[in-house]
Amino acid sequence: MGILSRASYVIRSKLNALLNRAEDPSETLDYSYEKMRDELQDVKKGIADLTTQKKRLEIQRRRLEENVEKHNEQAREAVRHDREDLARQALEKKQQKMAQIEELEVQIADLQETQDTLVEKKNELQDRIERFRTEKETMKARYEAAEASTRVSEALSGVGDEMEDTARAIERSRERTEEMEARAEAMDELADTGAFDQALSGEDELDRELREMRSNSEVEAELDTLRAEMGKESPAPTEREADSEVETVDADTDTEAEPADVDEEAVEAELEELSEEEQ
C-alpha cells in the first residue's frame, strides 16, 4: 500500500469515526421518516396529475360522443330531405369522431392502469411509513433508555468525563487539605517550642539563659534588701538552695544549663501564710 493510499485510508477512517460519534440515531430516524413522507407526497402528486390528464381525455371523449350523435341526426335529416350527399358527409364525420373516440379510450385505459398501479404503490408506501413510524418511535425510546442507562452507569462507575474531572478535583482538594493540616500542625509545634518568640525577640538560647540569670540575681538582691530593712538575717542555705547555688555556678561556667522552674502558686501561698501570721 502506497503512502497516498494509506493516507486516504486513515483519513476515511477518521472521518467515519467522527461521523459515528456525531450521528444521533434519533435525528437519523426522524430524517428518514421525513424523506419517506416526502416520497409519499410525490407519489400522491403524480397520481393527482395522472388523474387530471385522464379526466381531460374523458371530457374530450364525451364531446366526441356528442358529435357522433349530432352527425347521426344530421344524416337522418339529410335523408329525409333526399340529400344523400349531405347524409354521406355527416356519416363520414361520424366515422372520424368514432375513430378518435377509440384512440381516446385506449389512452384512457392506459392512464387508468397506470393510476391503479400508482395507487397500489402509494398504499404500500403509506403502510410502510406507518410501520416505520411505529418502529421509529420504539427505536428512539430504546436509544434514549440505553443512553440514560449508560449515563447512570458511567456516573456510578466514575468512568465518564465529568466524573473523571470531579474525581480529580476531589483528589486535588484532599491533597491540598492534607497539606494545610500538616502545615497547621507544624506551626502549632513551632509555637509550642517558642521558636516564634525567639524569632520575634531576636534572642538566641544563650541570650535567653543570661537574661533569666540576671532576673534571678535581681530578685535575690531585692530580697536581701528587704531582710536588711526588717532586721532579719539571711537564712543559711538549705541543701536544696546549696544545690541551686551550685547549679547557678555551673550555669555561669556552662551556658547550656537551664534554670530551675519556679512554682508561682507555691510562692503565692507561702506569702499569704506569712501575711496572716504577721496580722
Side-chain angles (χ1 to χ4, degrees):
M1 183 181 292
I3 296 176
L4 294 178
S5 299
R6 292 178 59 188
S8 177
Y9 179 79
V10 170
I11 292 173
R12 289 197 304 271
S13 300
K14 296 292 184 182
L15 290 176
N16 187 41
L18 181 62
L19 291 175
N20 287 335
R21 289 195 298 269
E23 183 179 5
D24 187 351
S26 298
E27 295 179 355
T28 302
L29 291 173
D30 289 337
Y31 177 76
S32 300
Y33 177 70
E34 293 300 326
K35 289 290 291 181
M36 294 178 69
R37 293 189 62 184
D38 291 341
E39 292 177 358
L40 179 61
Q41 292 299 324
D42 292 338
V43 173
K44 290 181 177 180
K45 185 176 181 300
I47 294 174
D49 294 339
L50 187 62
T51 303
T52 301
Q53 294 296 329
K54 188 186 70 171
K55 291 298 181 182
R56 289 177 180 176
L57 294 179
E58 289 176 350
I59 292 172
Q60 188 175 357
R61 183 185 63 182
R62 285 197 299 270
R63 290 178 180 175
L64 291 174
E65 290 175 349
E66 292 174 357
N67 289 330
V68 168
E69 186 63 26
K70 178 182 177 181
H71 294 321
N72 279 332
E73 292 296 330
Q74 289 175 348
R76 290 191 184 95
E77 186 177 0
V79 170
R80 283 195 299 267
H81 291 82
D82 296 329
R83 293 291 306 270
E84 294 183 359
D85 55 336
L86 293 177
R88 187 177 291 106
Q89 292 178 4
L91 292 175
E92 289 176 356
K93 290 181 179 181
K94 174 187 174 182
Q95 292 297 325
Q96 293 176 359
K97 297 297 189 295
M98 291 181 64
Q100 294 178 5
I101 289 173
E102 290 179 358
E103 292 178 359
L104 289 176
E105 287 179 348
V106 172
Q107 295 178 9
I108 291 172
D110 292 340
L111 290 176
Q112 184 63 46
E113 184 179 357
T114 304
Q115 180 180 347
D116 294 340
T117 303
L118 289 178
V119 170
E120 291 179 0
K121 291 183 178 180
K122 186 264 296 182
N123 294 333
E124 182 181 355
L125 180 59
Q126 192 166 0
D127 293 339
R128 188 191 308 172
I129 291 174
E130 290 299 323
R131 290 194 302 270
F132 179 76
R133 185 178 65 85
T134 303
E135 186 177 1
K136 172 180 73 71
E137 296 300 327
T138 303
M139 293 176 65
K140 287 176 62 176
R142 290 178 56 189
Y143 175 77
E144 292 174 358
E147 187 179 21
S149 177
T150 301
R151 286 197 299 266
V152 172
S153 299
E154 289 179 351
L156 292 176
S157 60
V159 298
D161 295 337
E162 295 182 359
M163 292 303 299
E164 289 180 0
D165 295 339
T166 302
R168 285 195 294 268
I170 293 175
E171 184 64 24
R172 289 194 299 269
S173 300
R174 184 183 294 112
E175 293 176 356
R176 183 62 177 171
T177 301
E178 292 176 353
E179 181 182 354
M180 293 301 295
E181 291 176 349
R183 184 177 179 83
E185 292 178 0
M187 299 293 284
D188 293 339
E189 184 176 350
L190 291 174
D192 293 339
T193 58
F196 290 152
D197 296 337
Q198 295 178 7
L200 293 174
S201 62
E203 294 181 343
D204 57 9
E205 187 67 21
L206 178 59
D207 292 333
R208 185 176 62 82
E209 292 182 1
L210 292 175
R211 178 173 56 77
E212 292 178 355
M213 290 172 57
R214 287 194 297 270
S215 177
N216 293 333
S217 299
E218 292 175 357
V219 170
E220 292 297 331
E222 289 184 6
L223 183 58
D224 292 338
T225 301
L226 292 175
R227 291 195 189 100
E229 290 177 355
M230 299 176 67
K232 294 184 178 182
E233 296 180 356
S234 300
T238 61
E239 180 179 356
R240 182 176 179 181
E241 292 175 347
D243 293 339
S244 177
E245 291 178 356
V246 171
E247 290 177 356
T248 303
V249 173
D250 292 340
D252 292 338
T253 57
D254 187 6
T255 58
E256 294 182 359
E258 296 182 356
D261 295 335
V262 178
D263 192 348
E264 294 181 357
E265 295 181 356
V267 173
E268 292 179 357
E270 292 179 1
L271 291 175
E272 290 179 358
E273 291 177 357
L274 292 175
S275 299
E276 292 175 356
E277 291 176 359
E278 291 179 356
Q279 294 176 355

